[in-house]
């Protein structure tokens, strides 16, 4: 399924990034990991770099402090294979606390349409 998804997403970085947020909000870990290149890197405040499918799967299933929530994208800007996103996240942490924060994400995609790297910035302490 990975290659057919990559073929579908190639040439449409905005669609890939929007699909990423849909998968994350739905809790579809396998679906969101499949959007990343096998050697992708994710940089997130408060965490060591998250590398590859195994690292991403571990982060989303075990390490991420967010239990559930929704991302609202306010701006999505595409320049070639680069995508910048600004938005708001509202949800619940695994400790039961509700959270709301603003974020900025920067993505770089491969020529085949997979996410090669992602870097996140928050306006509040790391979540």
């Amino acid at each position: 399924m990975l290659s057919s998804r990559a073929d579908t997403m190639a040439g449409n970085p905005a669609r890939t990034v929007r699909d990423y947020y849909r998968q994350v909000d739905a809790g579809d870990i396998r679906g969101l990991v499949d959007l990343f290149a096998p050697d992708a890197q994710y940089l997130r405040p408060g965490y060591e770099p998250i590398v590859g499918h195994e690292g991403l799967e571990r982060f989303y299933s075990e390490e991420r402090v967010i239990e559930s929530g929704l991302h609202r994208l306010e701006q999505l800007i595409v320049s070639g294979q680069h995508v910048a996103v600004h938005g708001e996240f509202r949800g619940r942490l695994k400790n039961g606390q509700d959270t709301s924060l603003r974020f900025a994400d920067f993505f770089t995609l491969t020529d085949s349409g997979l996410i090669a790297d992602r870097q996140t910035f928050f306006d509040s302490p790391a979540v």
Side-chain angles (χ1 to χ4, degrees):
M1 181 174 166
L2 179 60
S3 63
S4 64
R5 174 176 248 164
D7 292 342
T8 302
M9 299 304 213
N12 197 335
R15 182 172 154 196
T16 299
V17 169
R18 283 190 180 100
D19 195 34
Y20 163 78
Y21 290 106
R22 279 191 291 274
Q23 301 297 336
V24 129
D25 290 349
D28 182 357
I29 295 169
R30 184 74 259 152
L32 75 89
V33 169
D34 284 347
L35 293 171
F36 285 82
D39 60 348
Q41 177 172 271
Y42 176 25
L43 302 176
R44 182 181 180 97
Y47 294 88
E48 292 295 317
I50 302 161
V51 180
H53 284 186
E54 185 177 308
L56 289 161
E57 199 162 325
R58 182 175 48 254
F59 170 74
Y60 284 103
S61 63
E62 300 171 20
E63 298 170 5
R64 187 175 186 237
V65 298
I66 296 171
E67 179 181 308
S68 62
L70 294 173
H71 292 83
R72 184 172 57 90
L73 309 185
E74 296 174 7
Q75 291 181 316
L76 190 146
I77 300 166
V78 178
S79 177
Q81 295 302 102
H82 302 278
V83 180
V85 177
H86 180 249
E88 182 179 23
F89 174 81
R90 290 180 186 251
R92 180 169 291 263
L93 304 179
K94 288 180 179 174
N95 69 7
Q97 180 182 356
D98 289 331
T99 190
S100 175
L101 58 91
R102 301 191 58 69
F103 69 90
D105 273 330
F106 298 88
F107 296 83
T108 302
L109 281 71
T110 66
D111 289 339
S112 63
L114 296 173
I115 299 167
D117 62 67
R118 174 183 177 211
Q119 186 165 12
T120 297
F121 297 93
F122 299 112
D123 73 344
S124 56
V127 291

